[in-house]
Amino acid sequence: MDVAKVKTILIFVLVALNIALLSFLIGTRSQDSSVNQRSDDQVISLLSEKNVKLDKKLIPQKVSAVPNCLIERMLSGDDKIISKLLGGKYIKEEERYINENKQLTLNGDAFRFTDAAPADPPTDTSPAGIEKYCANAMKHMGISAENYTFLGMNSAGENVKALFAPKCAEYSFFDANLDFEISANGLVSVQGKNLISSNTISGGKTEIFSIHSILVDFADNPYLDRTRQTVISGISLGYYIGHDAQQYKSVLAIPVWQIVSENGDIFYYDARNGKFLGQ
């Protein structure tokens, strides 16, 4: 047989195979998209039967796994933290520590610090200026600002509030926030929980439940108010430290799905197994 003809035949066979493979891939992607579409519609229909409303636009894109995130916690009862917030001299009254106009209240791993007579006014009240002001305040308190992300600010009467939270990869922590309130005279208060001194991706990933599975369970959540319609206003994937970790300094963060309702209720589900963690 002519070698040139053999080469021509082989080329045509390879081209045909590539076309067939491309058609298969396009068909598979189209089928996957169709399955996801049907899953969205089915979940929305199921929720509606349970008097729960969900806009399809709020359903996140499919995520199969998230990074393992190891954190080092600053235990809030540590004398070093108390001294940095209040200075060297303070008196203790049950869960409160007091030094003149400054007061620190501890409750488990949550804390609230207030200053009735602040004397360090911010020179720049723009978002960038407030972010820098709060970062300097964190440094003074012994908190590593590098581990926290500025989430934004809003007005609180004549004052402004700024919110910070740690992140692992692109995912936020839902129970390790820092909330600052700043007046024209300076820092009025800062409160939060689960202070973090370091935050690292420890290698590997954890597979997670799809949001569709979580929403099916959410439809029967016993804490939903069945006397009125529940409107879901937000769904987010992130991390959670949880109450069980209070006594530990090193913690592997729990990947969780957060579901927020229009009336302000927040529900957390363990993304590893679909278990409801609480509100």
Side-chain angles (χ1 to χ4, degrees), residues 163-180:
L163 184 63
F164 290 76
K167 279 191 174 183
C168 183
E170 70 267 34
Y171 302 107
S172 295
F173 280 75
F174 296 128
D175 63 341
N177 59 293
L178 282 175
D179 187 350
F180 292 81

Side-chain angles (χ1 to χ4, degrees), residues 54-69:
L54 172 62
D55 188 329
K56 188 186 296 187
K57 295 178 182 177
L58 294 177
I59 299 177
Q61 295 293 318
K62 182 180 178 181
V63 180
S64 58
V66 294
N68 293 325
C69 187

Side-chain angles (χ1 to χ4, degrees), residues 151-172:
L151 301 182
M153 57 180 275
N154 54 58
S155 299
E158 296 182 353
N159 300 342
V160 295
K161 284 191 173 183
L163 184 63
F164 290 76
K167 279 191 174 183
C168 183
E170 70 267 34
Y171 302 107
S172 295

